[in-house]
Every structure is written in structure tokens, then in C-alpha cells.
Amino acid sequence: HKQGLIYRDKRLVNWDPGLLTAISDLEVESREITGELTHFRYPLADTVYDPDDPTTYIVVATTRPETMLGDTAVAVHPEDDRYRAMVGRDVILPLVGRRIPIVADYYSDPEKGSGAVKITPAHDFNDFEVGNRHKLPVINVFDAQAAVSLQDNEAFAEGLNAIALRPLIAALHGKDRYEARAWIKTAMEEAGYLDQVEANVHQVPFGDRSGVAVEPFLTDQWYVNAKRLAEPASDVVREGKVRFVPEVWSKTYFDWMDNIQPWCISRQLWWGHQIPAWYGPDGHIIVERTEADALRVAETRYGGTVLVKSRDEALAAWRASAASASEPRSDKAPPPQIAGDVDAGELDGIAPASSAAHQVTILYRDEDVLDTWFSSALWPFSTLGWPHRTPELRKYYPTSVLSTGFDIIFFWVARMMMMGLHFLNREPFHTVYIHALVRDEKGAKMSKTKGNVVDPVALMDEFGADALRFTLAAMAAQGRDVKIAKARVQGYRNFATKLWNATRFADMNECKIVAGFDPSCAQSTLARWIVTEASRAERDVAQAIAAYRFNDAAAAIYRFTWNTFCDWYVELVKPVLSGPDGSEKDEIRATTAWVIDTILKVLHPFMPFLTEELWAITAERSGTTRATRLIHARWPGDGPRDESAAAEINFVVDLIATVRSVRAETNVPAALEADLILVGANPSHENWLVRHDAAIRRLARAGTIAVADVAPRNAAQAVVGDVVVCLPLEGLVDLDAERSRLNKEMARLEKEMAKISGRLANPKFLEKADEATIEEQRQKSDETSSRLDKLRAAIDRLDPAL
RNA sequence: GGGCGGUUAGCUCAGCGGGAGAGCGCUGCCUUGACACGGCAGAGGUCACUGGUUCAAUCCCAGUACCGCCCACCA
């Protein structure tokens, strides 16, 4: 206040006649209304009105006929030839009799209505601006409830014949705006000034709490000079000290900051920080942090005793003392009525209190509270004990990342930036992460007032808090809005159950945590492979989180846990765990426990409750204790990698998957253990087959596994890398199904091959594409053609004629 | 009216210059000693439309259509 940043001003505000308060744009909701556009004729002054002669009047159109009571001009476009001659003349406002000018203003749009527009500065934002430009009087014709208020309305009566006005005032004073609208239309029609009424669809703003049409209304309010605060707040984003993620949102921020308007911060509500302003009887305003400070200032100013009372009491006391002060001078007009609800400013001019030492001066505190966003703007530091220089404030301000929705970039983010820079000279955070907005099933923004809120508690009751949290992370892709899909929450609940069961499996197989276990020393390929995959998953998740790509992070840990760990590792390891005790079994047990630990750590940010629980349970079952809770545990660092182990297991996985697919498609009975013959296997393939014999037999439902130089006839066959796997099941295999399966695969590969060779045959491709891409295409070409050769051979071997 | 965004499998959504993906749903098989909130195998998409840039476009650019959001709007 003392720096001139906060001031009191008389302005039009969006007034909610239901709540009797000024409301912010955020609380206004536009609705499409089918109404009427009423065209009135305003007769030219000093001319005889003739309904049949359009040169004797000017037509204006309005959707709010009742506002005509407050009209103080008619505006036409300066370059509109139709009205050029009329500019500077006056019209007589019908019913009222006020003489008002025709002004030229660019606001008037020749394309709309008649091209002439009535100007009501007290009840329309644009008209208010026009009024300022042309120094027009501002005539408020409504009260706070949006009822017509003409009785004792000096601005309205100014320059008019009071006696002639009486019938109009008697008819309209106190009438609701809509009743007044009807009355005026009728009266205008009866007087011959109604030109026409046309149907009209237009947007009308409603208060979203009261459901009442908002009315522009003239009041005294507290304002912040936001422009002065916005400049530094804009600069820190331009200079990169504060970054928006995704970056496009900085544009929204700049749009707001560059066009910032004075910010009305007073609200006529009960909840909130009460404005620390005290009014004295002479209209002086004292702004101090506390009432004690205000009293001290007031005592210096007024002398004597100063008391703070309620507004009503203070006004009554002032009125009484003003009356007694003016008594000896009976020629002075009586003090103006205290009108309106918030018009302390109108008290200017009331007789000042005497400064005699024995006198008592009454103050009252502003009853308004601060706009909720003003209070919220202080959040980054007021929560840390500001204005005191607390240790918390020193340690935690500035904060780091603000995560919020794009709908409050204006209201909250921008204001926190302004306040933080103003009060602490430092931006409140370095990154603003803008997430998507959850919408209802129709795509509408959730709103407490509309009641279309997706209830998170109900979803949590049904699927668990972790499932909901994971869903939100998985859907956090940086789009605009998200429709919450229940099936998806359910899917992630299933994921939680899956992990729970996998952990149970490990427990049943005594996969205990081994203190000091070093996964890089594991000997078995399975262990080395899963450790490699876990390390990859950890890296993927960490990178995605660092890039604020939470959906990618969630997907990476989901895939590893379910598709790699549960679907393959657990299945491959079963023969070992149910086999004889020994060093391999011990190692697999320890590795399994280690991998689960890694999953818990990496998954913890997404499913904190489940993982924390499992963290405790697994330790207890292992007979150990954890150094910390999971939430405080260290994120796993880079784990070891072993690409050759990965190649080996990938071959086994590929083999099993292929055999399963062939069996299913050629209708091999599920219970049948089919023998496998591998053609084209090299020595390491043979090693791998021996090493994983049990797992392959179990997972591929295989009988014996053998290696051969030549494929048997009439067997089902499939290509696995460089190897052809055959299921010699003459009589059991559906050979027609097998032939069509192979042909389908051929067709797919041939299409692929045609694409690749077309590319490689194109000289421009070879000339312009980068080398890595060309090399990649060559490799793909080799792989595809070798696969095609094997498939062709397989189809040939199926032909019984050969 | 101004601005921004979207249009990819039946549904909800990722991907975004060189092989079209996930979850749910759907089809077939499986009561396999962790899990039926499960397992295995599948089907399903000229990536809205039209033109352009490029050796190459679902991806970049322009336009069209439809959908949505924000701002303005009570003539």
C-alpha cells in the first residue's frame, strides 16, 4: 500500500446480485440464452419526432432494455456515413427525458444492429471505456440486488425535472431488473419508441455459485497494480530461470502477463484473510499489519482516544457527530446518505472529527477479505513462517517444482511468481510442470459446483489408492485432458495383485534377501539376464522421470515387472527352484529377492503403499530388518549388464514363444508333449538347449529336444533366428493349418522385403539417407531374406508329393 | 470473433520422419503347485480428409471437416 502497489478504486466489477459480491472471472460461467434484441428509437433533440421519418430519430438495439435508464450517450462509428451528420447532435432519452449526445467512437460496429449503440457507462464494461473516452456521466440505476434504484438517485436526477420524473420513479423504483425490462419495453411501445423486437441468441454470464446473471456494477474495491509486479515475473521465464514443462505453456503465461489488468483483490465474503485497512471518519485509510499498529497511527493522526468498532457502529457514530457538528451552521446541506454496501469512498467530505484531545475517534476495519488467489499467491513462503525469517524459509525457499493444471496458470502460478519475486526477491520454483486435467465422461472440466466430480475416494475404495495413483501417472502424458477410464484403474489394480502374488511365489520358494549380495557376481545366465533387464528398466524409469515423462516411467516399470519378471523370469526359474539344492538354487533365490527389491524401489513413487508393505514383509520373511523404510531407501544405481546372457535367454524365450504359437495354430492338443528337432543349430545353441532343457520342456510342452542336420518331412516348422524348429507330429499336426500359417507369414515378410529392397534400390535413398539408416536397412534386408528362405524350404517340406 | 489443442484398434489413450503400440474389451485354448484381478495363442487399424515438403510422412507444413478448451462477448 505504501509503495502504491495496492490502491482503492471505483470501478465496474462483475457483480453477483445473488451473492452480493464482486466475483472473479473464474467464477463466471457463460450460458447461451435465447432472448430478444430490442430496438429502440431515440428521438433527436430539437426536432419533432415523426415515426415515419427516420431522420428524426436514431435506432439503438439492446438485449438489456432496462439499462436505458442509465444511458448517457449514443455512439456511432466515426466513418459510418449513415450517421456522420448526426455526430455532435443530441437525442432525448425517452421516458427519462435526459438530453444525451451522439458521439463518434470506434467501439461502435457498423455491422451490428443498427450501427448505433446506446452507452450505459455504469452497467457495461465497454460502455464504461467509451464513457471515459468521452467524459460521459456515469449513472448507476441498480442497487446491489440488481433492482432498479431511482429514488434519491442524484446522478440519475441530475439535470432533469424532478416532478416530471415522479411517475417513472414510482413505477420502477425497487423493481427487479427483469420486471423493469418488461415494463420499459411496454412503456416504450406505448410511447411509440419501440422500433422492433427480434429473436436473438447470445451469451450471458452467470455466477457459478448463485446461478444468477452477473451484472457489471460500480463499486469501491481494492486493487493491485499487477503490471508492476508482472514485469519481473515475466522476465524470469524469458531468462530461463523458471521453465514450463511442456514448454508451450510459457506462451499462455506470457499472454496473460503481457496483457495484465489491474487485479481486484477485495471480496465481500466471510472466508479469507480480512483486509488490514481501517477507515477513519475523515475518509482517511490506514493500512497496517495489525490493529495495534493501526491504532498507533490513528492516535498520531487524530489525537485523543481511538477505538475500532464494527462498520455499522462506526457509521452511526460518524453520522451523529457530523449532524451535531453541522447544527450551528444550518445552511449547510445535510450529509449525503450512506448508500451502497461498500462505498466508504463516498464518505469523503463528511465533516472531520474534531481533534480535541478529549474526543473519541471511531475507526472501522474493512469487512472485505482478500481474493483467495491473493492469499494463495503467498503459499510458497507463507507456509514457511513468512514474514519471519524462519529456518524453514531459508531452507525451503525457493521451492523446486510446481506441479499444477493449466487452468490456473493465470490465477495461481503467475501470482505466486509475482509475490515471490516481490517479497523475497527470488522466483518461488525453477520448474512449472503442467499436467493434464481430469475431465468427466463427457469431457467437461470437473467442478465442485457442477457436481460432475470424479470421486477419487470411490475409485480408491474399489481399486486401491495405488491403482488410482498409478493410473494417473500412466495417463499423465502431456496432453490437455484426460477422461478417467475405470477399466484402466482396474487394470492397474490387477497389476498390484500380480506383484503381490509374484512376491508370494518368491517367499514360498524361500527367495530370501541375502545381505551384501552382489548381482554382478552371479554365475547363472538366468540371474545375469534378469539383473541386466532390471538395470535397463531402472535406467528407463529414472530417465523418464527426469524428463517429466511420468507415463513412460510407469509403462517401463509395468512392462518389466509383468512381462519380463513375472511372465518369463519366474517361469524360467521354476525348474531350478523345484530342483536340487545347491549353489545355483541359492544364487537364483538371492537374485530373485534382489530383483524384487529393485522393483519395489523403482515402483515406489507410483505405488507407495503396496511397495512399502512388501518392503516390510519381504524383510521379515527373510529374517532381516531394513535400514530404512522404503520411502527413504536409496534409488538403485546403475546395475550390471551382460549382453551375452541377454542373447542366450532371448533365444530361449523366442524358441518357446515360437513353439507355443505353432502348437496353437496347428491345433496340437494342449496336453500333448511334442518333440522338438532343431535344424541349423550351432554349438552355442546346443549348449543353451542343454542348459535350459527343463525350462523349455516345461514352457513349450516339449518331449525330447534334439538337434538334426535335416528337417523331418511333414512336420510343423518355424524359424527362430538362424534356426528352424520342427515339430515332427505327422498325423497329429493339422497340415492344412500349418501350410496356411506358413503362407501367411510368407506374405507378411514378402511385403516387408519389397519395401526394404525398394528403398535400397533407390539411388536417392543411398545418396541422401544417413549411413546408420542405410546400414540398418541392409541388415534388415539380410535378416528378412534369410527368414524367407527358411520359410520357403519349410513349405516345400510340407508338400506330400516331394 | 480471437487464441490454443485434438482427430491412431470396438472403448480409453500412448507414439510422432525410415518395422503401427498399451490397457480394457473381443475370439480360441488352458481348473499347469504364485496369481482366473491368472496363463498361452490370436483377430482387429488405407494413424479424419486434401494438397505440399522430403530419397522416405501416421509423424513436418498448408488447407478442409468435425470435436474440445481458454479469452472476448448481455448491439
Side-chain angles (χ1 to χ4, degrees), chain A residues 276-477:
Chain A
W278 285 263
Y279 299 92
D282 54 348
H284 184 69
I285 302 171
I286 298 166
V287 176
E288 291 295 334
R289 275 189 188 169
T290 64
E291 187 169 299
D293 289 345
L295 283 171
R296 237 185 324 276
V297 172
E299 276 157 14
T300 310
R301 179 180 176 87
Y302 300 108
T305 311
V306 178
L307 292 175
V308 174
K309 299 222 168 171
S310 76
R311 178 172 178 274
D312 287 346
E313 287 172 304
L315 294 184
W318 297 353
R319 234 176 266 136
S321 81
S324 66
S326 62
E327 231 159 47
R329 296 189 292 148
S330 53
D331 56 324
K332 195 180 180 242
Q337 284 253 291
I338 312 298
D341 277 307
V342 288
D343 279 0
E346 290 187 5
L347 295 165
D348 286 347
I350 289 183
S354 151
S355 55
H358 67 274
Q359 264 203 321
V360 174
T361 305
I362 308 288
L363 305 181
Y364 77 86
R365 181 169 179 178
D366 198 314
E367 294 184 318
D368 291 358
V369 298
L370 292 167
D371 176 16
T372 185
W373 295 113
F374 187 100
S375 304
S376 306
L378 308 172
W379 186 88
F381 44 92
S382 67
T383 51
L384 299 173
W386 178 88
H388 307 290
R389 307 289 317 182
T390 63
E392 290 81 8
L393 186 64
R394 270 195 293 276
K395 176 160 185 184
Y396 294 112
Y397 192 91
T399 69
S400 54
V401 179
L402 173 73
S403 170
T404 192
F406 61 82
D407 55 331
I408 52 175
I409 289 177
F410 299 165
F411 302 110
W412 196 35
V413 180
R415 268 93 183 244
M416 282 194 283
M417 295 274 279
M418 294 193 284
M419 296 291 198
L421 285 161
H422 179 73
F423 287 114
L424 296 170
N425 217 12
R426 186 74 199 273
E427 62 281 358
F429 24 71
H430 58 69
T431 301
V432 181
Y433 172 73
I434 301 294
H435 57 68
L437 233 52
V438 177
R439 298 183 183 276
D440 71 5
E441 63 280 0
K442 280 171 286 188
K445 189 166 124 184
M446 294 199 296
S447 137
K448 278 177 282 191
T449 349
K450 276 194 229 158
N452 62 339
V453 177
V454 178
D455 182 2
V457 175
L459 280 169
M460 286 190 281
D461 283 346
E462 192 170 358
F463 300 116
D466 282 339
L468 180 62
R469 185 185 176 99
F470 197 96
T471 306
L472 292 174
M475 301 202 308

Side-chain angles (χ1 to χ4, degrees), chain A residues 51-359:
Chain A
D52 298 321
D53 179 1
T55 65
T56 65
Y57 59 86
I58 190 163
V59 173
V60 295
T62 181
T63 55
R64 291 189 302 161
E66 68 280 12
T67 63
M68 64 88 73
L69 297 168
D71 282 2
T72 55
V74 169
V76 298
H77 196 275
E79 282 143 33
D80 190 334
D81 290 332
R82 293 172 295 178
Y83 299 113
R84 207 181 282 275
M86 291 188 182
V87 173
R89 294 191 60 180
D90 292 339
V91 296
I92 302 297
L93 189 61
L95 308 185
V96 176
R98 185 181 303 127
R99 190 182 181 104
I100 61 176
I102 297 171
V103 300
D105 195 286
Y106 286 95
Y107 164 63
S108 179
D109 182 349
E111 304 294 316
K112 282 189 186 167
S114 64
V117 56
K118 62 193 263 322
I119 300 298
T120 322
H123 296 292
D124 182 283
F125 291 100
N126 288 309
D127 291 8
F128 188 77
E129 298 299 319
V130 175
N132 279 344
R133 284 197 284 273
H134 298 275
K135 306 218 170 358
L136 300 172
V138 178
I139 302 175
N140 185 354
V141 296
F142 294 141
D143 65 14
Q145 282 90 11
V148 174
S149 174
L150 302 179
Q151 194 81 54
D152 301 326
N153 184 332
E154 290 181 17
F156 178 74
E158 175 77 30
L160 301 179
N161 180 326
I163 294 165
L165 273 181
R166 275 184 194 155
L168 182 75
I169 294 174
L172 283 173
H173 184 77
K175 261 194 166 52
D176 171 78
R177 53 185 159 167
Y178 299 110
E179 293 172 32
R181 180 175 300 179
W183 190 94
I184 283 177
K185 270 171 63 186
T186 308
M188 287 293 279
E189 185 168 17
E190 284 168 358
Y193 296 120
L194 183 66
D195 189 72
Q196 58 160 314
V197 176
E198 58 178 319
N200 176 260
V201 175
H202 55 268
Q203 299 291 316
V204 178
F206 282 80
D208 68 3
R209 277 176 294 163
S210 64
V212 168
V214 166
E215 197 71 41
F217 193 59
L218 199 62
T219 57
D220 269 316
Q221 303 286 346
W222 286 100
Y223 281 87
V224 171
N225 181 345
K227 204 177 175 68
R228 252 169 72 188
L229 296 176
E231 275 167 26
S234 213
D235 289 344
V236 290
V237 176
R238 274 199 188 89
E239 291 160 8
K241 287 183 188 156
V242 178
R243 188 167 70 104
F244 279 83
V245 178
E247 201 275 331
V248 286
W249 291 110
S250 57
K251 186 174 157 31
T252 305
Y253 177 80
F254 290 135
D255 282 352
W256 168 255
M257 287 306 215
D258 295 344
N259 299 302
I260 199 153
Q261 299 298 310
W263 174 17
C264 175
I265 54 167
S266 44
R267 290 296 129 94
Q268 294 72 49
L269 302 170
W270 282 98
W271 289 105
H273 289 142
Q274 191 178 0
I275 291 173
W278 285 263
Y279 299 92
D282 54 348
H284 184 69
I285 302 171
I286 298 166
V287 176
E288 291 295 334
R289 275 189 188 169
T290 64
E291 187 169 299
D293 289 345
L295 283 171
R296 237 185 324 276
V297 172
E299 276 157 14
T300 310
R301 179 180 176 87
Y302 300 108
T305 311
V306 178
L307 292 175
V308 174
K309 299 222 168 171
S310 76
R311 178 172 178 274
D312 287 346
E313 287 172 304
L315 294 184
W318 297 353
R319 234 176 266 136
S321 81
S324 66
S326 62
E327 231 159 47
R329 296 189 292 148
S330 53
D331 56 324
K332 195 180 180 242
Q337 284 253 291
I338 312 298
D341 277 307
V342 288
D343 279 0
E346 290 187 5
L347 295 165
D348 286 347
I350 289 183
S354 151
S355 55
H358 67 274
Q359 264 203 321

Side-chain angles (χ1 to χ4, degrees), chain A residues 1-6 287-289 297:
Chain A
H1 181 57
K2 283 159 192 162
Q3 296 168 20
L5 272 167
I6 295 190
V287 176
E288 291 295 334
R289 275 189 188 169
V297 172

Side-chain angles (χ1 to χ4, degrees), chain A residues 330-630:
Chain A
S330 53
D331 56 324
K332 195 180 180 242
Q337 284 253 291
I338 312 298
D341 277 307
V342 288
D343 279 0
E346 290 187 5
L347 295 165
D348 286 347
I350 289 183
S354 151
S355 55
H358 67 274
Q359 264 203 321
V360 174
T361 305
I362 308 288
L363 305 181
Y364 77 86
R365 181 169 179 178
D366 198 314
E367 294 184 318
D368 291 358
V369 298
L370 292 167
D371 176 16
T372 185
W373 295 113
F374 187 100
S375 304
S376 306
L378 308 172
W379 186 88
F381 44 92
S382 67
T383 51
L384 299 173
W386 178 88
H388 307 290
R389 307 289 317 182
T390 63
E392 290 81 8
L393 186 64
R394 270 195 293 276
K395 176 160 185 184
Y396 294 112
Y397 192 91
T399 69
S400 54
V401 179
L402 173 73
S403 170
T404 192
F406 61 82
D407 55 331
I408 52 175
I409 289 177
F410 299 165
F411 302 110
W412 196 35
V413 180
R415 268 93 183 244
M416 282 194 283
M417 295 274 279
M418 294 193 284
M419 296 291 198
L421 285 161
H422 179 73
F423 287 114
L424 296 170
N425 217 12
R426 186 74 199 273
E427 62 281 358
F429 24 71
H430 58 69
T431 301
V432 181
Y433 172 73
I434 301 294
H435 57 68
L437 233 52
V438 177
R439 298 183 183 276
D440 71 5
E441 63 280 0
K442 280 171 286 188
K445 189 166 124 184
M446 294 199 296
S447 137
K448 278 177 282 191
T449 349
K450 276 194 229 158
N452 62 339
V453 177
V454 178
D455 182 2
V457 175
L459 280 169
M460 286 190 281
D461 283 346
E462 192 170 358
F463 300 116
D466 282 339
L468 180 62
R469 185 185 176 99
F470 197 96
T471 306
L472 292 174
M475 301 202 308
Q478 301 170 349
R480 284 224 155 190
D481 45 60
V482 153
K483 276 176 260 177
I484 200 114
K486 205 169 156 180
R488 209 148 161 187
V489 186
Q490 186 175 18
Y492 293 126
R493 186 275 316 264
N494 295 353
F495 173 64
T497 308
K498 186 77 179 175
L499 177 63
W500 181 270
N501 283 317
T503 308
R504 202 160 67 100
F505 167 82
D507 178 45
M508 288 165 65
N509 285 282
E510 295 178 62
C511 298
K512 294 185 173 158
I513 297 161
V514 174
F517 172 73
D518 180 359
S520 62
C521 296
Q523 297 296 308
S524 77
T525 326
L526 273 174
R528 297 179 70 79
W529 164 73
I530 197 65
V531 165
T532 303
E533 294 296 331
S535 302
R536 278 194 188 135
E538 177 279 319
R539 184 201 52 198
D540 290 349
V541 172
Q543 283 178 352
I545 290 175
Y548 299 96
R549 301 177 62 94
F550 302 116
N551 57 317
D552 287 345
I557 189 59
Y558 180 96
R559 262 197 314 270
F560 172 72
T561 303
W562 198 319
N563 304 122
T564 305
F565 182 73
C566 292
D567 287 350
W568 287 108
Y569 176 76
V570 166
E571 295 303 326
L572 288 168
V573 122
K574 276 176 181 172
V576 180
L577 291 176
S578 60
D581 288 348
S583 62
E584 189 188 10
K585 193 170 181 173
D586 290 345
E587 185 180 277
I588 288 297
R589 282 172 164 165
T591 303
T592 304
W594 180 88
V595 172
I596 289 174
D597 266 12
T598 303
I599 291 173
L600 295 179
K601 288 176 194 162
V602 174
L603 185 59
H604 181 265
F606 303 95
M607 291 193 155
F609 298 104
L610 171 70
T611 51
E612 191 73 72
E613 179 77 6
L614 289 173
W615 181 253
I617 291 173
T618 49
E620 193 190 321
R621 294 293 173 80
S622 303
T624 63
T625 51
R626 301 284 192 181
T628 67
R629 288 189 170 223
L630 180 55

